[in-house]
Amino acid sequence: MNQTPAVTVNVAQIPRIEHDEAMRIAAVENRKFSDLMRALSTEQWSIQTECTRWDVRAMTAHVVGSAASQASPREFIRQKRGGKPICKEFDSPFWWDGMNELQVRERAALTTPTTTAAFSSSEPLAAASSSIPFPSNPQKGAHHDHHTDRRNC
């Protein structure tokens, strides 16, 4: 049972963090994610996540693929184009659903060490490319969903 008292916070009054602070936070989160991947047992890789279609291995494959797409505009375009036909399988109008699934499918057979190494090599490049903040998508809380699943994997 949650014993935390209910508090209402007007989020409009919370000051926005600056880019440098966001990059420091992301670096810590990504290091912790890498550490977590290395610490997972064989059984933990197949645990279901909050995303009902994906287990931990699939979620990690998506995060690794996403880091690769953020590290290279060419890779991003390749994944976006490759994912568009996959959208039809899910009857999804959102190109990112196909892109996400492509990331998972392309990395499904990677070993655990290879998956971890791929994230470790792509993540610094992805972080460096994050010099332009993107607006959040009001249609889908992707960042929040990822944060929730990454924390719970």
Side-chain angles (χ1 to χ4, degrees):
M1 179 175 186
N2 187 351
Q3 305 255 340
T4 306
V7 176
T8 302
V9 176
N10 181 351
V11 295
Q13 294 178 347
I14 299 171
R16 185 179 182 136
I17 63 173
E18 297 296 325
H19 181 74
D20 289 345
E21 181 181 2
M23 292 299 93
R24 286 191 301 274
I25 291 168
V28 170
E29 183 175 324
N30 290 333
R31 180 185 46 78
K32 288 180 178 182
F33 186 66
S34 290
D35 292 346
L36 177 62
M37 282 193 291
R38 283 189 283 280
L40 291 173
S41 69
T42 303
E43 295 79 27
Q44 289 171 317
W45 281 94
S46 59
I47 293 174
Q48 187 64 44
T49 67
E50 291 180 17
C51 180
T52 57
R53 296 190 66 247
W54 293 350
D55 62 7
V56 172
R57 180 168 300 284
M59 179 60 66
T60 302
H62 161 60
V63 172
V64 170
S66 180
S69 76
Q70 296 305 308
S72 163
R74 182 173 287 167
E75 176 63 10
F76 181 90
I77 291 167
R78 185 196 70 78
Q79 288 184 20
K80 184 177 177 185
R81 286 181 180 156
K84 278 189 176 184
I86 297 172
C87 289
K88 294 175 186 170
E89 295 174 29
F90 306 116
D91 195 29
S92 174
F94 305 113
W95 59 264
W96 55 83
D97 287 339
M99 184 174 173
N100 293 344
E101 185 63 24
L102 178 73
Q103 293 163 349
V104 172
R105 290 177 184 182
E106 288 181 344
R107 291 158 183 81
L110 294 181
T111 65
T112 300
T114 304
T115 302
T116 304
F119 181 75
S120 296
S121 65
S122 293
E123 183 280 320
L125 297 171
S129 73
S130 297
S131 60
I132 302 171
F134 290 95
S136 62
N137 185 336
Q139 295 176 325
K140 192 170 188 176
H143 176 72
H144 171 73
D145 293 344
H146 289 126
H147 178 73
T148 300
D149 254 352
R150 287 175 63 174
R151 187 182 55 223
N152 292 329
C153 15

